[in-house]
Amino acid sequence: MARGKLRIYLGAAPGVGKTYAMLSEAHRRVERGTDCVVGFVEHHDRPRTEVMLHGLEQVPRKDLEYRGTAFTEMDVDAVLERAPAVALVDELAHTNVPGSRNAKRWQDVEELLAAGIDVVSTVNIQHLESLGDVVESITGVRQRETVPDEVVRRADQIELVDMSPQALRRRMAHGNIYKPDRIDASLSNYFRPGNLTALRELALLWVADRVDEYLQQYRGEHNIRSTWQARERIVVGLTGGPEGRTLIRRASRMAAKGSGSEILAVYIARSDGLTAASPKELAVQRTLVEDLGGTFHHVIGDDIPAALLDFARGVNATQIVLGSSRRKTWQYIFGPGVGATVARESGPDLDVHIVTHGEVAKGRGLPVARGARLGRSRIIWGWLVGVGGPALLTLLLTHVDADLGLANDMLLFLTLTVAAALLGGLLPALASAAVGSLLLNYYFTPPLHLWTVSNNKNIVAIAVFVGVAVSVASVVDLAARRTHQAARLRAESEILSFLAGSVLRGETSLDALLERVRETFAMESVALLERAGDTEPWTCAGSVGDGRAPKRPEDADVDMPVGDHMALALSGRVLPAADRRVLAAFAAQAAVVLDRQRLQSEADQARTLAEGNRIRTALLAAVSHDLRTPLAGIKAAVSSLRSDDVDWSEEDEAELLAGIEDGADRLEHLVGNLLDMSRLQTGTVTPLIREIDLDEVVPMALGGVPDGSAELDIPETLPMVAVDKGLLERAVANIVENAVKYAPEGKPVKVSASALGERVELRVVDRGPGVPDTAKDRIFAPFQRYGDAPRGAGVGLGLAVARGFVEAMGGTLAAEDTPGGGLTMVLTLRAVAGRPPDRPALPDVPAQVTR
């Protein structure tokens, strides 16, 4: 008998509609005439899911009793006896009640599949065994019911049932998943947007891996050996030119078409001096790459095609994106270009894309930052043209039966001299003039094949040729050098302009500036050193680079003094003198950035002092108003009791004494908050961190609120937290008292706690008017109250003190909207790993306390 086929609906989270999708598939199969029955489907009292069961045959469940409670499970024997073509079995990870045929439902499914019955089932991503630890770290909940990954992977079909976190939370709020009494707790804990987003990503990645397994299986079955590059790693070769942005965007569109594609932009600079591209344009392209989710890399290499291919193979790239050459047609005489060379040498496993752009064939221009020195290849070509060219020309002219005349011969040799000057500079041109004059004298000036000249006119002609050749070579070489110098100055001005602008705008930190120095001059490491005096040791104010940063200027390959007691030290190679002018500007800017950072630190300290002054001013205002009010009430009550003119009854005396007591309590509370705020402002709060249970602290913090105004829900299963007991009690008391002030009558504040991975969250939920998003941070500022407090005693310090205490213990306090209206204060604390051995066993139901 053939084994049945398994189809699984994999859900990203509870409530996304797995069971609904499974029942919809069952109705479609029944309409096509397939024998389909319901082996076990749990609708969880969801009306829409329950309606989908209508019209489907359901195999009766098996009744079981366990510890005095009746349960129902799938009757495997009944399904096998019914022998349908397809059986629906919900919740694949379910653990059967003890006494069942199998311990797990997936084992029941295995029996049905072995009997030749096709099974359609459901499971959530958090129930996969391999993801248990990951899900617990995200949600703080350990899944007790799991299914081995291999069981799910063996399924013939896996269909992902997905939904955006916002839509799922709306479905939850509308009551389509859980009953109303569970909605608020679920939205505030497991069904938070961050949890749902993380679970959704887990599901997508798991299914993507499964798809890759299907692909590999298919390739193996069909004996496919060639590479199928399903996941791409795309390298973008940048020249620093304006076409770079086009290439980056094109690579981003290519990456968006593949799952898990990655973009790596690389700029390859030569090692001889300044980079050959505009730093400003490179900075823009770096930002664009990072905005699109890629990475930017700066590589040093004189052979650009080889360096690009080495980088691509080193990062295991699958594609290279290059731009069409900006060179003009005649410039191809110097070589095929980077694009053609890379395409030729890339090999069969590395695709090369040549992308057209608006700068094609508009000319590359001269190097903008390599100084007046010509490249080695150009000098070699200059000598070849200057020395070998006249010899080849002589060979050609002596073997061609054409008498061009001495004047035309001189013009041809003069052309080679000019070409040698353009390519290699002055020396190859002078050599060309000398060789050309000798060849003209020997082969083309009578008497031929002799080093003498019989005609005086020919002597003048050769002399004029030599003079013109030397003059033209000098002018051409001078023009080339002036052009290079102008280009260099332009590069330097662009560097300095961009550098100065970024510093003035405050966009460059010291590390970023030093990194720019390292990249610009192709160094291994850069350090900014300073010392207090001439005899004091050097200290490092900042350093970057892969190599070991120099500790003293004397240890560096290049050092640039900045004033008397500061220096910029570079290691890697010795810079030519022409580069030191730009280096000096970098060094001066580094000193400016360092001064700016220190001034900013001093400004922050001054701002702190100003804030303290503001606090003191507000404190005086509070003392003059808020503290005088309860004092006035106490004084009036005492004066009344001391008065001999009035005979107070016992009830009146009790009322006056109660007023005195109430005023004294208010004074104590106000003074306590003022003192706490003062301690926080002066930084004298020193928490005494201990490992305690929340249920030991939180109930004590509710002592200051009226009975029945707060409900406490602290599970005993929570891990211990590392806090200062006294500070935590004060913080929770302030938070709860603030929530009770704004909570409507008859709607108590709910205080609940839950464990979320390595932290514990305490949530104080009220159903009051709430706070707009724009005011959520402002309510934690000292002496701030949002709106008018219904029972408006206080100076607006409760939440400020609470946040200060919580942050002093390493926690956080934030405000969120309560689903359905109101405000929720979320207090996050660090959980302690493990539980003491004397802790009680973990109950399934948390303790409920109501004040």
Side-chain angles (χ1 to χ4, degrees):
M1 179 180 297
R3 179 181 172 86
K5 295 183 178 181
L6 176 61
R7 177 171 183 172
I8 294 178
Y9 286 91
L10 179 66
V16 294
K18 305 178 302 300
T19 304
Y20 190 92
M22 179 181 67
L23 294 174
S24 299
E25 173 66 17
H27 280 286
R28 287 191 293 271
R29 297 195 181 197
V30 170
E31 291 175 0
R32 294 195 299 264
T34 304
D35 183 15
C36 183
V37 301
V38 176
F40 186 97
V41 170
E42 184 61 64
H43 55 73
H44 298 290
D45 296 327
R46 298 170 186 169
R48 297 185 179 182
T49 305
E50 186 176 3
V51 169
M52 293 297 294
L53 285 170
H54 297 168
L56 297 176
E57 179 185 349
Q58 300 187 46
V59 176
R61 301 183 184 183
K62 185 176 183 180
D63 295 326
L64 296 171
E65 184 175 346
Y66 179 68
R67 294 184 178 179
T69 305
F71 297 92
T72 61
E73 295 287 0
M74 181 176 67
D75 193 338
V76 180
D77 292 327
V79 177
L80 291 174
E81 183 179 355
R82 171 63 175 76
V86 179
L88 308 183
V89 183
D90 203 5
E91 299 179 358
L92 187 63
H94 173 73
T95 301
N96 293 329
V97 175
S100 301
R101 184 188 187 99
N102 296 300
K104 288 285 192 175
R105 184 164 293 165
W106 64 264
Q107 296 171 329
D108 297 338
V109 169
E110 287 293 324
E111 287 197 35
L112 299 181
L113 294 173
I117 300 174
D118 293 346
V119 177
V120 182
S121 187
T122 66
V123 70
N124 282 328
I125 189 68
Q126 67 265 26
H127 292 297
L128 296 181
E129 182 66 41
S130 65
L131 300 178
D133 294 338
V134 179
V135 173
E136 183 180 11
S137 65
I138 294 172
T139 64
V141 178
R142 180 68 182 184
Q143 299 295 330
R144 299 180 181 178
E145 294 187 330
T146 59
V147 58
D149 289 46
E150 185 59 29
V151 174
V152 182
R153 289 184 182 275
R154 286 201 306 264
D156 299 276
Q157 296 183 58
I158 299 176
E159 183 171 337
L160 178 65
V161 183
D162 188 23
M163 180 177 291
S164 68
Q166 294 79 9
L168 184 56
R169 283 172 60 86
R170 285 196 300 270
R171 176 180 288 186
M172 171 72 73
H174 294 159
N176 295 332
I177 300 177
Y178 293 150
K179 294 180 179 180
D181 58 345
R182 297 179 58 189
I183 292 177
D184 289 344
S186 299
L187 289 175
S188 300
N189 292 281
Y190 194 89
F191 284 82
R192 292 183 301 176
N195 290 356
L196 297 178
T197 302
L199 292 174
R200 189 185 193 194
E201 183 178 17
L202 282 177
L204 292 171
L205 292 175
W206 196 91
V207 173
D209 289 339
R210 181 65 178 126
V211 171
D212 190 56
E213 291 178 8
Y214 278 133
L215 179 61
Q216 296 300 327
Q217 180 182 353
Y218 177 85
R219 286 164 50 82
E221 293 174 352
H222 293 78
N223 197 27
I224 298 174
R225 301 304 180 190
S226 60
T227 302
W228 285 9
Q229 299 169 348
R231 293 190 177 185
E232 302 292 350
R233 180 167 288 180
I234 304 173
V235 170
V236 185
L238 301 178
T239 65
E243 78 280 0
R245 305 182 202 181
T246 302
L247 302 184
I248 294 169
R249 294 189 179 97
R250 182 71 179 92
S252 177
R253 292 195 297 271
M254 294 168 59
K257 297 178 181 179
S259 173
S261 298
E262 184 179 356
I263 303 175
L264 302 94
V266 56
Y267 170 70
I268 300 175
R270 298 184 185 274
S271 60
D272 54 347
L274 296 172
T275 59
S278 167
K280 184 176 181 179
E281 181 63 28
L282 278 180
V284 172
Q285 294 176 14
R286 178 197 294 265
T287 302
L288 178 60
V289 170
E290 293 173 351
D291 290 343
L292 294 175
T295 56
F296 184 90
H297 303 267
H298 192 281
V299 176
I300 304 298
D302 291 322
D303 189 343
I304 293 179
L308 181 60
L309 288 171
D310 288 343
F311 175 83
R313 295 189 177 106
V315 298
N316 196 28
T318 58
Q319 301 185 53
I320 296 178
V321 176
L322 299 173
S324 297
S325 178
R326 288 184 285 133
R327 296 190 298 176
K328 294 183 180 296
T329 303
W330 65 269
Q331 290 176 313
Y332 282 95
I333 63 175
F334 302 113
V338 174
T341 304
V342 170
R344 184 181 66 248
E345 299 178 1
S346 61
D349 296 330
L350 191 58
D351 297 336
V352 179
H353 301 267
I354 306 297
V355 179
T356 58
H357 49 83
E359 302 296 321
V360 174
K362 290 186 177 181
R364 294 185 303 173
L366 294 172
V368 297
R370 291 183 55 203
R373 299 182 304 277
L374 297 174
R376 180 181 300 178
S377 61
R378 287 191 59 177
I379 294 176
I380 292 174
W381 276 102
W383 281 102
L384 289 176
V385 173
V387 177
L392 292 176
L393 180 60
T394 300
L395 183 64
L396 177 65
L397 292 177
T398 55
H399 286 77
V400 174
D401 188 14
D403 187 8
L404 300 179
L406 182 60
N408 291 326
D409 293 338
M410 287 184 176
L411 290 176
L412 291 175
F413 279 94
L414 182 61
T415 302
L416 293 176
T417 301
V418 173
L422 289 173
L423 288 173
L426 181 60
L427 292 179
L430 293 178
S432 177
V435 173
S437 62
L438 292 175
L439 293 176
L440 281 172
N441 181 15
Y442 190 81
Y443 286 101
F444 302 103
T445 305
L448 301 178
H449 306 297
L450 294 174
W451 296 109
T452 60
V453 180
S454 61
N455 192 335
N456 294 332
K457 294 181 180 180
N458 292 336
I459 295 176
V460 173
I462 292 176
V464 171
F465 166 78
V466 174
V468 171
V470 172
S471 300
V472 170
S474 300
V475 171
V476 171
D477 179 73
L478 180 62
R481 291 181 181 275
R482 291 288 184 266
T483 301
H484 279 287
Q485 290 172 1
R488 178 184 179 84
L489 292 175
R490 184 182 68 186
E492 292 179 1
S493 65
E494 286 185 358
I495 292 173
L496 298 178
S497 175
F498 178 74
L499 177 63
S502 62
V503 171
L504 290 175
R505 292 190 299 270
E507 298 174 354
T508 304
S509 65
L510 181 60
D511 289 344
L513 179 62
L514 296 180
E515 180 65 25
R516 182 61 59 88
V517 175
R518 190 186 70 83
E519 292 183 355
T520 299
F521 295 99
M523 288 293 181
E524 294 179 359
S525 62
V526 179
L528 182 63
L529 307 176
E530 63 175 348
R531 59 182 178 179
D534 294 337
T535 59
E536 298 294 327
W538 290 95
T539 59
C540 181
S543 63
V544 297
D546 300 331
R548 185 175 181 181
K551 303 299 183 182
R552 301 180 305 166
E554 296 82 4
D555 300 334
D557 295 319
V558 181
D559 70 282
M560 178 59 63
V562 188
D564 296 331
H565 303 126
M566 187 175 292
L568 190 65
L570 298 83
S571 296
R573 64 188 181 89
V574 178
L575 286 181
D579 288 347
R580 294 184 66 86
R581 181 172 64 249
V582 178
L583 182 60
F586 270 111
Q589 293 289 14
V592 170
V593 170
L594 183 60
D595 290 340
R596 178 189 292 273
Q597 290 183 352
R598 290 173 176 172
L599 290 173
Q600 183 64 42
S601 177
E602 294 176 1
D604 293 339
Q605 294 177 3
R607 192 177 298 110
T608 301
L609 294 175
E611 178 66 17
N613 290 332
R614 190 187 72 82
I615 293 295
R616 283 189 287 272
T617 302
L619 176 60
L620 292 175
V623 171
S624 64
H625 179 269
D626 294 272
L627 295 182
R628 292 178 63 182
T629 300
L631 280 174
I634 294 174
K635 182 174 177 57
V638 172
S639 299
S640 299
L641 289 174
R642 289 173 57 88
S643 175
D644 297 331
D645 299 336
V646 181
D647 186 14
W648 301 102
S649 63
E650 293 183 0
E651 292 79 3
D652 294 335
E653 289 182 358
E655 184 177 352
L656 289 172
L657 290 173
I660 294 173
E661 184 179 10
D662 181 65
D665 290 340
R666 291 173 58 188
L667 276 176
E668 182 185 12
H669 182 74
L670 292 173
V671 171
N673 277 338
L674 290 172
L675 292 176
D676 290 339
M677 197 68 233
S678 176
R679 292 167 59 201
L680 290 171
Q681 291 294 326
T682 56
T684 58
V685 176
T686 304
L688 184 61
I689 303 300
R690 292 288 185 269
E691 298 179 4
I692 63 172
D693 287 320
L694 279 182
D695 53 12
E696 297 178 6
V697 179
V698 177
M700 299 174 61
L702 304 186
V705 298
D707 292 341
S709 60
E711 292 182 355
L712 186 60
D713 183 2
I714 306 295
E716 295 182 3
T717 59
L718 289 177
M720 303 179 76
V721 291
V723 295
D724 183 302
K725 183 177 180 181
L727 295 184
L728 179 60
E729 182 179 343
R730 289 295 304 276
V732 175
N734 285 357
I735 297 170
V736 175
E737 289 173 8
N738 183 78
V740 170
K741 286 181 183 179
Y742 291 91
E745 295 293 338
K747 293 186 177 180
V749 173
K750 184 176 181 180
V751 183
S752 61
S754 59
L756 300 168
E758 298 180 354
R759 62 191 189 277
V760 172
E761 281 191 355
L762 183 70
R763 308 178 76 88
V764 180
V765 183
D766 68 64
R767 291 293 183 178
V771 176
D773 292 338
T774 56
K776 281 189 172 63
D777 286 333
R778 194 167 67 247
I779 61 177
F780 292 103
F783 303 101
Q784 296 289 328
R785 286 183 293 177
Y786 178 70
D788 296 325
R791 293 174 284 277
V795 292
L797 285 176
L799 293 182
V801 170
R803 172 175 273 189
F805 283 171
V806 172
E807 291 179 350
M809 294 183 292
T812 60
L813 178 62
E816 296 179 358
D817 291 329
T818 301
L823 188 68
T824 298
M825 290 292 177
V826 183
L827 193 158
T828 305
L829 301 170
R830 181 171 59 87
V832 178
R835 299 178 63 85
D838 57 346
R839 294 296 302 273
L842 305 182
D844 293 333
V845 181
Q848 299 284 340
V849 180
T850 302
R851 286 196 56 82

